[in-house]
Amino acid sequence: MTVKLNPVIEQVTARIEERSRDTRAAYLELIRSRRPSSFARKRLAEGNIAHQSAGCAVIEKAEILGASWPVIGIITSYNDMLSAHAPFESYPQIIREAAREVHAVAQVAGGVPAMCDGVTQGQEGMELSLFSRDVIAMASAVGLSHDAFDAALHLGVCDKIIPGLVIAALRFGWLPSVFVPAGPMPSGLSNPEKVRIRQLFAEGKVGRDALLKAEADSYHAQGTCTFYGTANSNQMLMEVMGLHMPGAAFPNPGTPLRTALTRAAAQHAASITAQGANYRPAGELVDARAIVNGIVGLMATGGSTNHALHIPAMAAAAGIKVTLEDFADLSHVTPLLARVYPNGSADVNHFHAAGGMAFLMAQLLSAGLLHGDALGVAGPISAYAREPMLNNGALTWRGAPDASGDREVLRPADDPFSADGGLRLMHGPLGEGVCKVSAVKPAQRIVEASAIVFDSQEALKAAFEAGRLDRDFVAVVRFQGPAANGMPELHGLSPVLGVLQDRGHKVALVTDGRMSGASGKIPAAIHICPEAARGGPIAKVQDGDVIRLDAEAGRLEVKVEPSEFNARVPAEFRPNRAPAGLGREMFDMFRLHASPASEGASPFGFSGLRV
């Protein structure tokens, strides 16, 4: 049955296409000019091909030299210190064997850095986190620059890894690209209990031993963290955009189903090269419809605010221009269908068991909220509302469940948790930003109180520990944008502000920084542009100024006479710590050239790399 597309979805898609007309046309001209007429290595000289094959097993070497099999390049984020990436250690061998069965060669073309925001939260290394996305894109480009591949497999999961891999896949957009995840770790300590222990520690009521035990019980095995932060939002996004095999997002690592999906990704990549009749280059698949689908999926699941940065950056790599207004308008018509921590108490394993991506996509399609005719690597998005299963050991797919297995976690489109997706575009004299309200109680979405200004999250924590914050206030944490210190996450503020809110105080946060995919119950206007380090109005706020954060109306106001406020000299950015050490000085060029947060906070710029 054909479902009529929601008119707002149509309108937003059309305006993105119109806004992007010139850049998208130039991009498509570029990638189409690179379409191979034969195997990619045929363009190489004999010595080049000899080097490509020298390290291969005998059968793969013979096929590369004979040029009779397609070659799949693997870009991997494997390392063995981080739970989300450790499963990828065995993937190259699984992929090589699966590729050989369908007469294809698979080679690891390169690795990319994969840092963990969980390890670097509150540490100096977090200042490298956001820009690691762009380093990952460049590292992927180095691997693919051998120009010897007919398709690519991108092995990644977490926060900056997927956006970086997508940017590279789109810059090599003539190649078919299939994204291959590892899945979430099994459930550990419940999220409410983890939050309880964190807040008790913040209040000094339990010691480090109790905190460490709670954290270790939460993050306890291979796989992504199980809350619905940026990592798991990435996996939802790749599936809704059609860059996964259907249903690949959330099966756990090390299970037979996960292995079968990895094998299927390798064999499918071999089937969609330019040498066959089913050529599906990544740059053609990721169009305005795919981007809109991704944003709708983000809103329907209450996903990470980090994607207000990443989606514009990824889209720009394909010549597509996306604005925060697009996010806000799509959020307004997209119902919230999932409640996964921090939006609820459940984790992604509960979401998956309740019906997961298949149920979610079936509901969005039936409500006319997804472009079902957009094409993914495995077919039209309308065919992605299926879940994988093993039948006598063979991978197959079945239709989405008709009903949610747990309506406290996942709901149908006609009975959502809320009528909209919970992301607000914030406007006002202090600039433009976003606010995620899907986990904020309606009574706490409007806060009007005096400002207390901080130049770092450490300063706010120190004020809390000194007992100076037991009152209503709006915390203004400035000089946290991409040009200042690389825009580190301020997730460490959540327990402190949560404690104050639980004491009955009206508290809110205004910052030009990030609050991460774990943004929770505190109303927070984040990603404020222009940022303070570039003279934005947020740098003019002083202690005692009354600020009104109205997340319902999308307004961010400062109750100071406009002439007085405008006459103020912005506070000067003075780094809170030396911008050297841990390699931070090597990222000066990223901070210098980063676009505003509203345009992706990327040194590559809003309009994408030159096309």
Side-chain angles (χ1 to χ4, degrees), residues 548-582:
R548 179 178 175 85
L549 187 158
D550 185 343
E552 297 289 9
R555 292 293 299 170
L556 182 62
E557 300 174 346
V558 56
K559 300 295 185 72
V560 177
E561 181 63 35
S563 59
E564 176 195 340
F565 187 79
N566 293 334
R568 290 179 182 174
V569 177
E572 182 181 351
F573 171 52
R574 294 185 176 89
N576 299 297
R577 49 194 177 200
L582 287 181

Side-chain angles (χ1 to χ4, degrees), residues 58 93 117 229 243 313 321 348 419 435 485 542 571 594:
V58 173
Q93 187 58 32
D117 291 355
L243 294 175
K321 297 181 180 181
V348 293
C435 182
N485 57 1
Q542 298 174 0

Side-chain angles (χ1 to χ4, degrees), residues 263-587:
R263 286 174 48 82
Q267 295 182 344
H268 190 71
S271 74
I272 57 175
T273 68
Q275 290 73 50
N278 198 27
Y279 179 44
R280 290 185 182 166
E284 301 272 3
L285 301 187
V286 179
D287 57 11
R289 295 172 301 169
I291 295 295
V292 167
N293 282 350
I295 297 173
V296 168
L298 188 73
M299 300 308 164
T301 56
S304 169
T305 56
N306 278 328
H307 281 297
L309 301 169
H310 297 321
I311 289 177
M314 291 187 290
I320 301 168
K321 297 181 180 181
V322 179
T323 69
L324 293 181
E325 183 183 10
D326 299 328
F327 279 79
D329 288 352
L330 292 171
S331 177
H332 185 68
V333 299
T334 303
L336 180 67
L337 304 185
R339 279 209 182 280
V340 186
Y341 182 82
N343 304 323
S345 61
D347 66 23
V348 293
N349 291 311
H350 296 123
F351 167 80
H352 183 61
M357 290 302 303
F359 181 83
L360 176 79
M361 293 184 70
Q363 291 299 309
L364 293 174
L365 286 162
S366 68
L369 293 168
L370 289 180
H371 288 280
D373 60 341
L375 192 62
V377 294
I381 295 303
S382 59
Y384 268 69
R386 299 178 294 156
E387 58 183 12
M389 59 177 293
L390 294 177
N391 185 1
N392 295 323
L395 179 63
T396 187
W397 281 265
R398 62 188 173 196
D402 293 329
S404 168
D406 187 345
R407 292 173 69 94
E408 294 303 308
V409 178
L410 186 59
R411 286 193 179 177
D414 60 3
D415 184 26
F417 290 105
S418 67
D420 64 45
L423 190 74
R424 303 285 192 270
L425 175 61
M426 305 295 292
H427 282 293
L430 294 182
E432 178 181 86
V434 296
C435 182
K436 177 181 172 182
V437 298
S438 51
V440 180
K441 293 179 180 178
Q444 295 167 333
R445 294 177 182 177
I446 300 174
V447 175
E448 183 173 317
S450 296
I452 305 179
V453 180
F454 303 95
D455 288 354
S456 70
Q457 61 178 324
E458 292 78 15
L460 190 154
K461 290 178 181 178
F464 171 77
E465 291 168 359
R468 299 199 299 269
L469 300 183
D470 270 310
R471 55 191 173 99
D472 295 354
F473 71 100
V474 174
V476 178
V477 184
R478 62 193 184 187
F479 301 125
Q480 303 301 307
N485 57 1
M487 210 176 186
E489 290 183 348
L490 306 178
H491 180 44
L493 298 180
S494 294
V496 169
L497 296 176
V499 166
L500 295 169
Q501 188 182 75
D502 289 349
R503 290 176 182 171
H505 299 304
K506 298 277 278 186
V507 295
L509 173 68
V510 176
T511 180
D512 50 10
R514 296 188 290 135
M515 272 297 283
S516 92
S519 300
K521 64 184 183 180
I522 307 299
I526 61 177
H527 306 177
I528 297 298
C529 297
E531 64 174 285
R534 287 177 170 161
I538 190 175
K540 295 182 178 183
V541 178
Q542 298 174 0
D543 285 349
D545 289 348
V546 174
I547 290 179
R548 179 178 175 85
L549 187 158
D550 185 343
E552 297 289 9
R555 292 293 299 170
L556 182 62
E557 300 174 346
V558 56
K559 300 295 185 72
V560 177
E561 181 63 35
S563 59
E564 176 195 340
F565 187 79
N566 293 334
R568 290 179 182 174
V569 177
E572 182 181 351
F573 171 52
R574 294 185 176 89
N576 299 297
R577 49 194 177 200
L582 287 181
R584 285 178 293 146
E585 64 280 5
M586 299 168 68
F587 283 67

Side-chain angles (χ1 to χ4, degrees), residues 16 21 53-54 59 69 75 96 127 138 142 248 277 297 306 372 452 459 474 500 543 551 576 592:
I16 291 173
R21 185 178 303 279
S53 66
I59 185 169
W69 288 5
I75 301 293
R96 279 191 289 267
E127 294 186 7
M138 293 188 290
V142 171
N306 278 328
I452 305 179
V474 174
L500 295 169
D543 285 349
N576 299 297
L592 181 64

Side-chain angles (χ1 to χ4, degrees), residues 49-50 52-67 105:
I49 299 172
Q52 180 191 0
S53 66
C56 290
V58 173
I59 185 169
E60 278 86 0
K61 183 172 183 177
E63 294 302 334
I64 290 176
L65 293 175
V105 174

Side-chain angles (χ1 to χ4, degrees), residues 84-118:
H85 312 297
F88 290 132
E89 181 174 16
S90 62
Y91 276 36
Q93 187 58 32
I94 293 170
I95 290 167
R96 279 191 289 267
E97 292 174 356
R100 191 179 299 149
E101 291 176 8
V102 293
H103 295 168
V105 174
Q107 295 181 296
V108 174
V112 300
M115 68 178 293
C116 178
D117 291 355

